[in-house]
Structure formats: structure tokens, C-alpha cells
Amino acid sequence: MAPLLQIKDLNVHYGGIHALKGVTFDVDEGQIVTLIGANGAGKTTTLRAISGLLKPSKGSVTFAGKPITGRPAHEIVALGLAQAPEGRGIFANLTVEENLDIGAYLRHDHAGIAKDKEKALGLFPRLKERLRQSAGTLSGGEQQMLAIARALLTKPRLLLLDEPSLGLAPQVVKLIFEIVKTIANDGTTILLVEQNAHMALKVAHTGHVLEVGALAASGPAADLAKDDAIRKAYLGVH
Amino acid sequence: MKTLAQRVPELTPGLLPTLGRSIWPFLAGFGFAYLMQVGIAPAVGEFYGSLLVNIGIAIVLAVSLNIVNGFAGQFSIGHAGFMLVGGNAAAAIVYYGSIKLWGSPEIHGGFLGPGELLLVAGCVAGGLWAAFAGLIVGLPSLRLRGDYLAIVTLGFGEIMRVLVTQTGPQLRGKDAAEASWFTLMTKLNGNLGFSNPQGAYLDPQNPFWVWVFVSILLIVAYRLKSSTHGRALLAVRENEVAAEAMGVPTTRAKVSAFVLAAFFAGIGGALFAHELGSTLKPDPSTLGFQKSFDIVIMVVIGGMGSITGAVLAAVILTVMPELFREFDQYRMIVYALALIFMMILRPQGLMGLRELWDTSWWRRIFRRGGAS
Ligand SMILES: Nc1ncnc2c1ncn2[C@@H]1O[C@H](COP(=O)(O)OP(=O)(O)O)[C@@H](O)[C@H]1O
Ligand SMILES: [Mg+2]
């Protein structure tokens, strides 16, 4: 079976800056794939080029057998590829429930939306207690939960998560990673971008290491976690 | 207990109740406008009647600009430009249309008579013409993020003001009856309409159509705000990238909001062009940047995204200069001070995103002992 997502020779330029220099990898259906790398390596750029938030200068992205390179973001979301963006990007002045409703913006199956909403709130009971609260008043961890729940309401086959652990307390990070696993077990494929390589390699099946715009290493997550060079560079082991 | 998912079919409204729901508020709006015409206007006299007409037009402008600046969070500062476009078209249609139809530009028919129907046609056509201008202006500038819209709308407003001021001498009689509409649009004597010895279609004693359009706009704005599309606009305003990532076609959403706002600004301009007997004259030079800025101030003070806030600010900022003649001189200073205090004390404006009935004091007054 062909992989759910195929990225070939992806290149992105910001004006004169060559931020991605030919990135190639696949994401198989049902897996958690992680993309780790230092700050500024190009992880967010990779996700945005996949989800249509920016146009790659070269290369191709294929999702579920369809070429999606350079197509507008809303068409890509409609195909079942969703993203919880870096920095959460919640709509601060809207309520938690309104945030979730925006996730379902492209859908018209009211029964399905209601079902998915209940399912998402089942994953994040803390959001259920705060449905009418404006999202800006949530704690950082709750905002991250909202960003993930909102993305789930688009009913994705593939979910892109951009540093969900950023700035969160260790026990909240643990909780988020638990939920990421649950979502994957439920059948949603996940591409997880992280600086927290330790946690990311623990939950993921496959890992890729991005260094200044190019892949430096790829392989089963367990192998990467044992690799000496990676342990030194990303896991803080000396 | 049934889950929410199972209850969806019974909660989804049928077509008939939906239609009923859509017609009643409009009927109520017409009723309200009729009340203003036959009850309020004769009772309050010329001065306050004229003030009420100005308030109505200010509400049309503030609430429509609020759709772009408040709901969608895009900074447009050329609303008066769309007033000019709509006012220009409506003035030509009503004045020359009257000549073409009835052989003279005089007021034709009384309350709800054929002349007034021509006025309504002029207002709607002016609105459509302004909406078209909104599409031309909005499409290129809203594709981009950032401050392009402010710069483009500012320039657009000034260009329109100059164009309308430069329109050629008015045509009379047979010349007018035989000229094409394209020619007639450019023959307005540098004005938005002409004073008519018999009076005007809109005056302190005849405000019906102003309040009809106010009501229609309020209903449309409220429905938009509580709809999926309205929520999508708010999402664009809150975080454009995240809205796009959730599948909101952000450019289309912003352009539609802008076009809708331009449509009602065009109607506001058409009403403005046909009002007489107020301190405002249908003179295009009063629709320059200053006017656009006044409308922006109303939206900012009322609360970005609050319909009732925009209404409240439109009322206050129309009444103040009329009641205190001296105020006009110091207006810019007072506005600047009001804005500074607002930014310090209430950066979200009087109401923020909320509506009047969401505030705690409203609940305290109208639902005694109700939830807080
Ligand atoms: N909008 C932008 N304009 C210019 N350069 C950018 C922009 N966004 C990111 N970059 C640059 O591209 C590189 C990759 O950034 P990014 O993808 O955000 O990295 P990461 O998510 O791995 O931290 C960095 O050098 C960054 O400075
Ligand atoms: Mg990043």
C-alpha cells in the first residue's frame, strides 16, 4: 500500500532564505511519525508547506494518492489533513465551543460533528467543563488541548502537530503525549513535530531528524533514540 | 439518556420554521420604521427629526463598517468612499430617472408613492454599485495580510471624492431624457443629488426608508454574527493562520465581508444624498477622509465586533456635535482624548465583542435576580 503522505524533494524559500533544501520522507497510515530538530531547523516550515499555508518553491506533496502541492489550505483540510499550528493559534476571544465549531467549518454532517465533538471532549474532559469560557482564559495546557481538539473536529485522516509540548509543565506534557497515542490508536495518523526529542521518540514509530533545512537521519524511533550522535545532540546525553 | 448526536435530527429546524424565523424580524423592522414615520417624527419636530435621520444613517455606516473592521478584523478606512459611489449612483438614478419616467425631477407621489419606490431602487442600485467597487478594491488588497487594506481604502476614498466633485454640469429636460445612464452618472454638478424646491424624499418628517434600511442591516449583521460564516470571520480576526489551517477560505471570507460592508455603505451614501434639512448637506466634500475616520471611531469606541456597541457609538457621536455646536471645533481633540482613554481603560471598546444583552447591568435590569 502506498504511504498516506509522500513528500519528495521539498524546497521552501523565504525571499532569499533557503529554509528547506530538498526534504523527502513518507508517512504510513496508522503510524506516529515524528520530525525532530533544533529551533530554526525548518520543522514548522515543513508542516506549513504540507498543509498549504505556504507554497513550496520546488518538490511535491502527495496525500492519499492525490497531489496537493501548492493547493489552498482549505482544500487540503477538506481532504482530511489537519494541523494544530505552532503556538496553538486558538481564537482567544471566542468561547471554547466556538473554537471547536470553527474546526467543523467545512463539514455539514451535523450528526457526525456532534459525535466528533463528544469524542474530542471525552479525550479532554477539562475542555468540557469550560465550553462557554473564552479560550483566552484557558491555561497553556488547556489551550494546547483545545488546539488539538479543534483540529480533530475537521475529521482528519492525518493530523499534523507542531510542538504540542512547547512551554508546558512536565506532567501536562506527559498527558498530551498520552492523548496523542490515544488519537493514533483510534486510527488517525500523526505527524508530530517536536523539540522534545526524548518524549517524541518514545511515542513515535518512525523518526526523522531535521538539521538546517535537510534531513540528517531517519529510521525507526527506537533506533534513533539509541543512536549516539542523536543522543548527544538532542537528548542531552554526553 | 440520548446523546447529543442522536438528538440532532429533532434539534435541526425544519424549513418552514426557518423561513418564518427569517421573515418576522423584517416585518418587525418595517413596523418600527412605520412607527418612526407616523409616531415619532411628527411628535419630536424638525430639529430632533433631522437628528434622528442623521442617527439612522450613522448607524447604517457604523454597523456596516463593523462587519469588516470588527468581525473580520481588517482595517478599512475608506468607508466614505463607498458612500460616494452609492450616493452618486442613487442621486443620478432618482433625479434623472424621475425625468425619464415622469418628465420632471419633482417629488413624485407621497408616502410609499412611486417616487419613493424610485428612491428605494436608487438605494439598492447604489448599494450594488458600491459592492462592485468593494470587490474591485478588496480582491487584490485582501489577498495579502497586513496593512495593505488601510492604504488602499484610504486612497480609494480620496479618488472617489475627487471624481464625484469633478462631475460635469447637470442636464435638464430633453437632454437628460435622451442621455445614456453612463453619461448621466457623470453629470451631477459635483454634487450628490440636487436640492429640490418641493423638498426631499428623506427629511425630518419623512424618515421611513432610513429606518427600513437600518432594520434590514441590523438583522443581517446579527444573523451573520451568529452564523458559521460570522464565526469564521471572527476566527480570521483572532488568528488568520489558524483559521486557514482549520479550513476557512480566508481570502473569500474577508472579501465577502468587505463587499457586504461596501453594499450597506453604498446604501448609507444613497440615503445621505437624499436627505435635506440637516446640518449635513449632500456635498461630496463632506465625505472625505474625515468622514471615514468618524465611522472608524464609532466602531472602535463601540467595541470591535459588537453590533449594539456600534449602534450606541453612532448615536452618541451623532448627537454630541449636534447638541453642542462648539463641539465640532474640538471634535478631533475630543476624539483623540476619547481614544487614548479608551485604549488605557477599555481597549476592547465600550462593548468588546459582546452585545448589549450580554452585559451584566442589562441582565440586572431586565432579568431581575437572573444569573450573573
Ligand atoms: N516568515 C519567515 N520569513 C523569513 N524567514 C523565516 C520565516 N519563517 C521561518 N523562517 C526561517 O526559516 C528557518 C526555519 O524556520 P522554522 O520552520 O520556523 O523552524 P522550526 O520550526 O524548526 O523552529 C529559520 O531559519 C527561520 O528563521
Ligand atoms: Mg517551529
Side-chain angles (χ1 to χ4, degrees), chain A residues 39-40 42-45 86 162-163 193 195:
Chain A
N39 204 2
K43 306 181 295 296
T44 299
T45 304
E86 184 178 46
D162 197 345
E163 298 206 34
V193 154
Q195 275 191 63

Side-chain angles (χ1 to χ4, degrees), chain A residues 74 77 83 89 92-93 101-102 118, chain B residues 4 231 238-239 242 245-247:
Chain A
H74 58 94
V77 174
Q83 176 177 17
N93 283 304
D101 290 341
I102 299 282
E118 270 187 12
Chain B
L4 193 59
R231 231 176 291 117
E238 297 285 303
N239 191 323
M246 289 301 106

Side-chain angles (χ1 to χ4, degrees), chain B residues 35-61:
Chain B
L35 183 75
M36 292 300 278
Q37 171 85 13
V38 302
I40 311 287
V44 299
E46 286 288 316
F47 178 75
Y48 289 104
S50 146
L51 190 55
L52 278 173
V53 169
N54 288 344
I55 286 175
I57 294 176
I59 291 175
V60 170
L61 298 169

Side-chain angles (χ1 to χ4, degrees), chain A residues 12-15 17-20 36-48 54 86 162-163 193 195 210 212-213:
Chain A
V12 173
H13 286 83
Y14 291 109
I17 303 167
H18 197 175
L20 278 194
I36 55 177
N39 204 2
K43 306 181 295 296
T44 299
T45 304
T46 307
L47 290 195
R48 292 188 165 192
L54 54 82
E86 184 178 46
D162 197 345
E163 298 206 34
V193 154
Q195 275 191 63
L210 195 59
V212 280

